[in-house]
Amino acid sequence: MKAPLSWIREFVDVEASAEEIGAMMGLRGLPLESLEPHGDDVVMDFEVTANRPDCMSIRGIAREIATAYQLPLATAKAVALQTNGKLPITIEEPELCTRYVGAVATVTVGPSPKWMQDRLTMCGVRPISNIVDITNYVMLELGQPMHAFDLDKMRQGKIIVRRAKRGETMTTLDGKKRTLTEDMLVIADAGKAEDIGGVMGGAASEITSATTRVAFEAANFTSSHIRSTSKKLGLKTEASSRFERGADRTAPPVAMARAIQLLEEIGAGTFTGDATDIYPRPYQPKTMRLDRARITGLLGMEVPDNEVEKILKSLGFEIAQAPSPTSQAPAAWEIVAPPWRVDMHRMVDLIEEVGRHYGYEHLPATFPGVEQAPPPSDPRIARDRRARTALLAMGFSESITLAFIEAKAAEPFLNGNAPVTIANPLSELFAVMRPSLLPGIIDALSHNRRHGRADVRLFEIGTRFSPNGETRGAGFAWTGLASLDHWSGARRPADFFDVKGVIEQLAAAYQVTPSFADVSALYLVAGRAASLVVNGQAIGTFGQLVPEIAEARQWPRVDEVYVGEIDLDALSAASRAETLRAAALPRYPSVVRDVSILVNDSLSAETVRGTIRSAAQPSRDASARQALELIDIREFDRYQGKGIPDGKVSLSFRLTFQSPERTLTDDEVQAAMQQIITALTRDLEAVQR
Amino acid sequence: MSEQNEISRIEAAREKFRAALAEVRTSSEFQELRNSWLGRKSGRIAEYTSLLKTAAPELKKELGRAINELRSIVETAIAEREKEFGASARPKNAVDITLPGRAPQLGHRHPLSLVRDEVMEIFTRLGYQVLEGPEIEDDYHNFEALNMPGDHPARDMHDTLYLETPIAPAKAGALQPSRPLTLLRTHTSAMQIRHMENNPPPVRLVAIGPVYRKDDLDLTHTPMFHQVEGLVVGTGITLADLKGTVSAMARELFGSAEVRFRPSFFPYTEPSAEVDIRCFKCAGAGCALCKKSGWIEILGSGMVHPAVFEAVGYNPDEVTGFAFGMGVERVAQLKWGVGDIRLFYENDLRFLEQFGI
């Protein structure tokens, strides 16, 4: 709300400068947004919160300043208008229009005086003509929106407040033809709608240079109704923004009197004496209780009684009853709220008034005592931290991407689900909620690539969305070199086994034993895709990103990108961390043996490992073997090429044996090795090398 | 006569050399010392030798003797210490320790994640529980229960993003009671309601996580950002307690404990206040960071509105509480002087790598 300081000073004799007033009011709940000098005046632009329509007026702002500086507020410039009921006004919808004051004047339309035009301009309102300017001037001064009809254009000279008819159209003052709906309120004459009540007037009954008779309107419209009409029409005006927050029902006759006073003062016309006030829903003053103890109880500071009363009175509240010094009942005031304070509902509202004007600078800084041990925090916090720590340690930097993405970027990741679509997205770039963390990470890769970084490891821990709700995941991408360029070593690009290693380590971080399965996913290259399986359930997917998908996100298709994503909800549910018992360290040394074999290259590593494992532990009751355990199998070499027949592969395994009972003898280990080689030869047609 | 002086100067130089040699601790200092005495062009001995050319013939001999004596002393001493400091002292398998190390790669934390952790740590230490909560919400928890019924003007401040198709609450595994999930939460305050519905007072929590608003991406806005929400409910909780709590947090986060409250309006708190901290950069003198005001706005707060308590079944005559909400991005921007909020969402490694782990 823009307010010229000279206008404010008509209501409160404040000596402080505009800057000082701004600083003071910021601490009293009416912050200054900007100051702009205007000739020898200065325009103060105050930020008025949604609950204070009364401060959308010079007088309302002056009242706050008067209270802050403990100065008197000038009395109103005009008293309520006397009406004779001769202007025919009908209100058909008293719930939507609770009061309508109309008054007739004969006028000579022309420009308004310079001082009035200046003030309107300073407040951001365009001067139009003396009659229209008067209505705007009163609105700015008192907060009561007004309107003026060319009475000779009103059929039968009647004013009817009714709902619009279905399909009724009207051209508003902004020149737009609008189709109205039955839930909108209009001010009509005997035939047509002439004004969208409380929002904007109509062009047909607009004041023109030819106008000689005017009907001024000062009415009260229900806030929720104005709000919905304004929203439906996409039309926000000075009037609607005041009514939708709630206007003072006692203000219309006062505003009307002020308008007529101005009309005659500037010589723009004369009041005919015909005026009507239809007031079907009279304002009921609100009486509120204010407990002295609750002030201290809520604010944590004591406010002396005389301060409480001084502040409230200055703001226009009436003290109907002060705390009785003799009564046994808790000390309390009976307070009557002024009609313009539509935000007063409860005792806390009064306490805020007292608190803010007494000054929060008087608040002590205390600390609430702890009454009980706090319940545990969201378990996801500690859980996510584990994945974050592991990924950071593996060289991945943490990213945070926007959770909405382009619809086509989401498509390959939907996994058969419908996308979670935003009904009113900012743009197509933010159309759906991400079903996976990967699209966002892929875009981040491309961003880095565009800025000269080709070797990138990024991860994100966050929420994924599907029609089944939200899940928490960890996604990551790896592209470029597997390790930083170094003078000592060869360059090696990251590959499938790098991301598999990441997945294995993530599983290890949660003490989960992983297994892996082939998977087909739209976004992963066939044959280079796998899922992480825990307890028979696939809880993660990883592999090489389909080049076309990367390319669609401005990534060069020739550069391989490896990605992975794990469901952290499922991973932590499978974690043994909660039930972990530390195993005693082995008391006897382990024995290591290597074996190299030649097998068909179509055999999976898992098949060979399985054969070795079951051969090492042939039966549970073979007492000789019981003591011997194969505790580790490691593929340490895999070779195809020179010296190896086509279709074959040379595999080397390092096997570690141990006994919990004693030191193993050479013979025992040798026997076990023989058993393993026999099984490999028999079952897999392996040839020992 | 001058040559006579030179002779005594050369004799005195012996002591100077011995003293300097005694000071030598490293191989580079040793090399330096050797060069400054035995250097072929600018070494001191070379300098003395050049005097011979111009010396008076009767003194040449004596001068030459003094120089030779000094040279022999220096050379012997240098040779003696050569083993200790010289290049030939390098062990055969020595490495060039100035070559870059083979560093295992270490990732970098996202600054928002760092702030989030710091805030969680502060409040955990102050006895709060930390909650996260759903990001897709129903209208009731995001607005209605927070004293913002359907046509409330304050809803304008939260430009809300809605889902095309609501999600059934049962599917989302939401807490009870719950309605169809229709929107992206516009603030973490929705989590307050969910918690109070399911837990009796006292309450002492911070809720933290992403929130969504229909704001265009620019220097100061992103349609998704992160919030920290604090809520304390109990008997006798006051606005002064809020002041103490916020001061404690500000001291930890910014090293500035002086706060001021400016009255404001939020539908879910009454009284409401915006909180400024004393500018930690200029200590209040006025600088670019605080736009010359000496104060920096960090959060919105207030005393929980009785209507909110009624919505969750708490008795507003028995309990009071305070709540505050703070932007994580804003804290990170202030802490590290990040001018453009979009940097947090670009995930540019040149940005991320400025932060630790």
Side-chain angles (χ1 to χ4, degrees):
Chain A
M1 168 80 197
K2 288 182 173 164
L5 184 54
S6 66
W7 205 348
I8 292 171
R9 282 186 171 144
E10 284 183 14
F11 289 95
V12 55
D13 190 14
V14 59
E15 278 174 23
S17 70
E19 286 83 1
E20 288 164 346
I21 295 172
M24 165 67 104
M25 297 318 291
L27 297 177
R28 297 292 177 261
L30 192 61
L32 189 67
E33 229 167 280
S34 66
L35 268 184
E36 206 185 309
H38 196 278
D40 48 6
D41 207 347
V42 53
V43 181
M44 305 183 72
D45 192 356
F46 290 99
E47 192 184 318
V48 178
T49 51
N51 60 329
R52 293 298 304 277
D54 62 300
C55 285
M56 295 178 81
S57 68
I58 303 294
R59 190 170 151 82
I61 286 168
R63 184 180 293 113
E64 285 290 328
I65 294 173
T67 306
Y69 283 94
Q70 306 186 26
L71 294 169
L73 182 73
T75 49
K77 290 176 193 286
V79 289
L81 183 81
Q82 292 300 308
T83 55
N84 63 7
K86 284 197 174 157
L87 175 65
I89 298 172
T90 317
I91 298 180
E92 290 181 6
E93 299 290 343
E95 297 306 322
L96 306 185
C97 175
T98 56
R99 187 170 201 175
Y100 196 109
V101 176
V104 182
T106 53
V107 301
T108 311
V109 176
S112 62
K114 186 173 178 301
W115 63 265
M116 186 177 271
Q117 295 198 10
D118 278 351
R119 282 202 168 163
L120 294 181
T121 308
M122 280 192 264
C123 294
V125 175
R126 194 165 54 91
I128 293 169
S129 66
N130 49 8
I131 303 305
V132 177
D133 291 357
I134 286 168
T135 62
N136 285 329
Y137 191 90
V138 172
M139 172 185 72
L140 293 170
E141 186 174 270
L142 302 177
Q144 168 67 48
M146 288 189 71
H147 184 62
F149 296 97
D150 183 334
L151 192 52
D152 293 321
K153 302 265 176 66
M154 300 294 276
R155 292 169 189 80
Q156 299 175 26
K158 281 187 178 168
I159 290 172
I160 301 162
V161 184
R162 59 161 168 86
R163 283 182 190 269
K165 291 171 186 154
R166 180 184 302 201
E168 191 167 9
T169 60
M170 195 188 105
T171 303
T172 41
L173 284 172
D174 54 7
K176 288 199 177 119
K177 188 173 173 180
R178 299 180 186 270
T179 306
L180 308 174
T181 54
E182 284 166 293
D183 51 3
M184 292 175 186
L185 192 75
V186 297
I187 316 300
D189 55 20
K192 295 177 74 176
E194 294 294 339
D195 173 289
I196 302 170
V199 181
M200 191 180 265
S205 54
E206 186 180 0
I207 306 298
T208 66
S209 54
T211 303
T212 56
R213 280 202 322 142
V214 157
F216 283 109
E217 165 198 294
N220 185 282
F221 300 99
T222 308
S223 57
S224 56
H225 174 78
I226 295 296
R227 193 175 161 71
S228 78
T229 301
S230 155
K231 251 196 172 162
K232 261 178 226 154
L233 291 171
L235 185 58
K236 227 175 163 59
T237 61
E238 292 277 349
S240 73
S241 64
R242 284 174 174 78
F243 283 127
E244 73 175 19
R245 290 174 162 89
D248 176 2
R249 240 181 287 174
T250 66
V254 180
M256 187 61 84
R258 176 66 175 142
I260 281 163
Q261 188 185 52
L262 285 166
L263 177 82
E264 295 181 346
E265 195 179 298
I266 67 170
T270 322
F271 174 42
T272 62
D274 288 349
T276 303
D277 181 0
I278 306 290
Y279 195 7
R281 294 286 182 272
Y283 173 75
Q284 301 300 323
K286 226 176 297 176
T287 303
M288 304 164 78
R289 186 185 152 93
L290 176 58
D291 291 347
R292 182 193 281 147
R294 291 290 286 274
I295 299 176
T296 320
L298 196 68
L299 299 180
M301 65 175 175
E302 282 197 43
V303 183
D305 282 6
N306 63 328
E307 288 288 338
V308 172
E309 293 181 9
K310 198 162 72 187
I311 290 163
L312 290 175
K313 277 186 198 158
S314 174
L315 290 171
F317 292 82
E318 264 176 58
I319 312 290
Q321 178 123 39
S324 153
T326 54
S327 161
Q328 293 298 304
W333 287 268
E334 292 285 329
I335 307 284
V336 182
W340 58 83
R341 289 305 299 268
V342 294
D343 59 325
M344 286 296 129
H345 304 288
R346 296 177 179 253
M347 195 187 296
V348 287
D349 299 325
L350 291 173
I351 295 174
E352 175 166 61
E353 296 305 293
V354 170
R356 73 187 172 95
H357 272 295
Y358 184 61
Y360 292 150
E361 61 270 25
H362 294 118
L363 277 177
T366 55
F367 204 77
V370 183
E371 291 173 56
Q372 61 176 36
S377 288
D378 191 319
R380 288 182 294 188
I381 294 167
R383 215 183 70 180
D384 293 352
R385 189 172 291 146
R386 233 192 264 189
R388 183 178 295 117
T389 308
L391 285 159
L392 287 165
M394 289 187 273
F396 288 80
S397 285
E398 187 176 21
S399 61
I400 295 181
T401 65
L402 297 177
F404 12 62
I405 58 176
E406 237 175 314
K408 64 174 192 280
E411 250 166 45
F413 299 90
L414 288 171
N415 198 20
N417 287 315
V420 175
T421 309
I422 306 290
N424 56 336
L426 263 174
S427 81
E428 288 308 309
L429 295 176
F430 310 113
V432 300
M433 298 308 288
R434 61 183 176 203
S436 154
L437 296 159
L438 297 177
I441 299 173
I442 292 164
D443 282 352
L445 292 186
S446 294
H447 171 93
N448 278 291
R449 175 70 177 234
R450 281 196 298 279
H451 294 87
R453 297 292 287 264
D455 306 321
V456 183
R457 278 180 241 181
L458 283 177
F459 77 95
E460 179 169 9
I461 291 171
T463 305
R464 290 98 42 94
F465 302 84
S466 85
N468 300 319
E470 302 173 20
T471 55
R472 188 68 59 90
F476 60 91
W478 190 339
T479 182
L481 293 179
S483 58
L484 292 175
D485 254 339
H486 196 254
W487 53 269
S488 66
R491 301 159 61 94
R492 179 178 70 75
D495 64 20
F496 179 87
F497 296 101
D498 286 308
V499 278
K500 183 177 179 188
V502 173
I503 294 275
E504 286 169 331
Q505 295 293 41
L506 276 173
Y510 287 80
Q511 285 132 309
V512 164
T513 311
S515 62
F516 298 93
D518 281 325
V519 76
S520 84
L522 285 177
Y523 62 95
L524 294 178
V525 173
R528 288 183 166 209
S531 62
L532 165 68
V533 179
V534 173
N535 303 332
Q537 194 197 348
I539 62 164
T541 311
F542 62 95
Q544 187 189 347
L545 184 69
V546 168
E548 286 74 17
I549 291 177
E551 195 178 28
R553 311 308 296 178
Q554 284 79 53
W555 180 266
R557 59 174 298 153
V558 289
D559 288 357
E560 294 177 0
V561 176
Y562 289 89
V563 295
E565 188 166 19
I566 289 191
D567 184 330
L568 286 182
D569 299 318
L571 181 63
S572 56
S575 173
R576 287 185 289 113
E578 298 299 314
T579 55
L580 177 74
R581 306 288 304 160
L585 297 182
R587 295 173 60 192
Y588 304 99
S590 56
V591 179
V592 174
R593 288 281 186 279
D594 290 350
V595 58
S596 289
I597 53 169
L598 213 56
V599 291
N600 284 334
D601 64 2
S602 58
L603 280 176
S604 74
E606 181 57 35
T607 309
V608 180
R609 271 198 305 265
T611 304
I612 294 173
R613 210 177 286 120
S614 48
Q617 239 87 35
S619 71
R620 297 210 164 270
D621 50 36
S623 57
R625 290 282 108 80
Q626 210 164 30
L628 179 143
E629 287 173 16
L630 174 61
I631 59 165
D632 189 45
I633 309 173
R634 184 143 307 202
E635 291 89 338
F636 71 91
D637 190 44
R638 180 182 175 87
Y639 178 70
Q640 277 181 296
K642 205 178 162 197
I644 306 294
D646 270 0
K648 298 280 177 189
V649 61
S650 159
L651 299 177
S652 300
F653 292 89
R654 181 154 296 155
L655 309 181
T656 309
F657 299 93
Q658 195 164 44
S659 162
E661 291 166 8
R662 57 195 158 75
T663 303
L664 292 170
T665 64
D666 239 18
D667 287 349
E668 281 175 307
V669 176
Q670 200 45 50
M673 283 302 289
Q674 199 48 57
Q675 202 128 9
I676 288 166
I677 289 160
T678 307
L680 287 170
T681 314
R682 182 188 63 224
D683 300 344
L684 305 180
E685 295 166 5
V687 177
Q688 192 186 1
R689 297 187 77 209
Chain B
M1 189 60 211
S2 74
E3 284 85 357
Q4 196 64 54
N5 276 345
E6 292 299 341
I7 291 168
S8 53
R9 197 156 71 89
I10 291 166
E11 280 166 353
R14 295 178 197 169
E15 288 317 307
K16 262 192 193 161
F17 169 75
R18 288 203 179 96
L21 185 63
E23 290 292 307
V24 166
R25 292 287 174 274
T26 68
S27 126
S28 64
E29 282 171 16
F30 180 75
Q31 298 297 345
E32 210 172 289
L33 183 77
R34 182 186 15 217
N35 286 340
S36 71
W37 287 87
L38 297 176
R40 218 172 282 166
K41 275 188 181 159
S42 54
R44 282 199 187 196
I45 289 173
E47 189 189 312
Y48 297 143
T49 310
S50 71
L51 291 174
L52 281 173
K53 288 179 196 159
T54 55
E58 68 273 19
L59 282 167
K60 257 190 186 167
K61 195 177 168 192
E62 204 180 333
L63 191 60
R65 184 194 51 78
I67 292 169
N68 281 337
E69 215 165 293
L70 177 66
R71 189 199 311 276
S72 124
I73 286 168
V74 170
E75 280 175 351
T76 315
I78 294 273
E80 257 173 31
R81 305 291 294 274
E82 185 77 32
K83 267 189 197 140
E84 208 177 318
F85 293 118
S88 62
R90 270 170 76 80
K92 239 180 171 173
N93 54 355
V95 296
D96 177 358
I97 59 134
T98 63
L99 276 172
R102 193 183 295 113
Q105 210 173 330
L106 190 62
H108 294 264
R109 285 286 294 277
H110 194 287
L112 297 180
S113 168
L114 288 169
V115 170
R116 189 174 168 275
D117 268 16
E118 193 177 347
V119 171
M120 287 199 295
E121 205 173 298
I122 292 168
F123 283 101
T124 304
R125 206 152 44 72
L126 297 180
Y128 287 59
Q129 69 177 139
V130 186
L131 299 177
E132 294 194 341
E135 293 168 41
I136 296 183
E137 264 297 354
D138 57 49
D139 188 88
Y140 178 80
H141 287 93
N142 195 73
F143 289 120
E144 228 180 294
L146 286 157
N147 199 26
M148 282 186 277
D151 67 336
H152 200 286
R155 283 192 178 202
D156 287 355
M157 296 192 285
H158 296 227
D159 221 337
T160 311
L161 290 160
Y162 292 92
L163 299 186
E164 185 91 27
T165 316
I167 294 178
K171 276 189 168 179
L175 303 165
Q176 292 300 318
S178 194
R179 294 143 178 84
L181 305 171
T182 55
L183 51 85
L184 299 177
R185 66 175 173 192
T186 59
H187 49 186
T188 39
S189 311
M191 190 54 214
Q192 290 183 12
I193 302 296
R194 291 197 177 275
H195 182 82
M196 288 192 282
E197 276 172 345
N198 292 286
N199 299 277
V203 175
R204 207 176 168 99
L205 67 84
V206 289
I208 197 160
V211 299
Y212 304 86
R213 296 203 191 158
K214 201 179 170 183
D215 281 329
D216 279 310
L217 272 157
D218 62 28
L219 212 64
T220 51
H221 294 91
T222 47
M224 173 179 115
F225 57 99
H226 293 75
Q227 254 188 358
V228 185
E229 180 98 8
L231 175 71
V232 173
V233 180
T235 46
I237 301 294
T238 67
L239 194 62
D241 289 337
L242 172 62
K243 190 172 185 176
T245 302
V246 171
S247 309
M249 182 190 69
R251 187 175 51 237
E252 303 257 344
L253 276 178
F254 301 108
S256 170
E258 197 187 339
V259 301
R260 80 172 181 186
F261 280 34
R262 283 180 295 106
S264 189
F265 168 68
F266 306 108
Y268 31 90
T269 50
E270 187 82 21
S272 304
E274 270 167 324
V275 179
D276 300 338
I277 56 168
R278 189 54 99 178
C279 180
F280 48 84
K281 204 169 167 195
C282 64
C287 65
L289 183 68
C290 59
K291 299 193 188 96
K292 302 232 158 93
S293 72
W295 295 93
I296 296 174
E297 183 184 331
I298 55 159
L299 54 82
S301 66
M303 299 304 292
V304 179
H305 198 287
V308 174
F309 284 145
E310 282 160 6
V312 298
Y314 285 13
N315 184 347
D317 290 329
E318 285 172 5
V319 293
T320 52
F322 66 72
F324 60 85
M326 180 171 72
V328 175
E329 281 80 356
R330 169 120 182 105
V331 174
Q333 285 187 287
L334 289 172
K335 264 181 96 79
W336 292 302
V338 179
D340 186 343
I341 195 173
R342 289 170 294 196
L343 277 171
F344 295 122
Y345 293 95
E346 280 176 353
N347 301 296
D348 192 315
L349 284 171
R350 294 169 302 173
F351 177 63
L352 297 179
E353 283 170 0
Q354 297 177 40
F355 301 92
I357 184 160

